[in-house]
Amino acid sequence: MAAISREEFVDLLQDEIGLAVGGDDLGRALDEVPGWDSLHLLTMLVLLEKRVRRPLSLPDFLEAASLESVYELVNR
């Protein structure tokens, strides 16, 4: 079972980070996400660590090319 579902991930992006994204946007490169700022990556890391209750790798997050990549990191 996934640590976080796609729907929960998208909800977190929308509700807690303020990104106007949907499930179809997960494959976009991070710099193509409307309103994207590099600080969102650190915010996501902290929020996701709290959500899944385990540490996540900052270096892996920094290498993520898309929201889909981040989602996969959380669920591996």
Side-chain angles (χ1 to χ4, degrees):
M1 180 174 210
I4 185 172
S5 71
R6 286 183 183 282
E7 184 177 303
E8 290 171 320
F9 183 66
V10 170
D11 287 348
L12 179 136
L13 295 173
Q14 293 171 343
D15 300 339
E16 300 198 37
I17 299 177
L19 293 175
V21 295
D24 293 342
D25 296 308
L26 296 184
R28 285 181 169 200
L30 293 176
D31 61 353
E32 294 176 0
V33 173
W36 181 256
D37 181 300
S38 59
L39 292 177
H40 287 111
L41 196 64
L42 294 175
T43 303
M44 263 196 300
L45 175 69
V46 171
L47 292 171
L48 288 165
E49 283 183 332
K50 287 180 182 179
R51 181 72 58 97
V52 300
R53 297 184 177 162
R54 65 179 170 89
L56 300 169
S57 169
L58 177 59
D60 288 348
F61 264 61
L62 293 173
E63 291 180 13
S66 67
L67 294 171
E68 181 72 31
S69 300
V70 171
Y71 175 78
E72 290 172 3
L73 286 171
V74 174
N75 285 296
R76 67 173 170 175

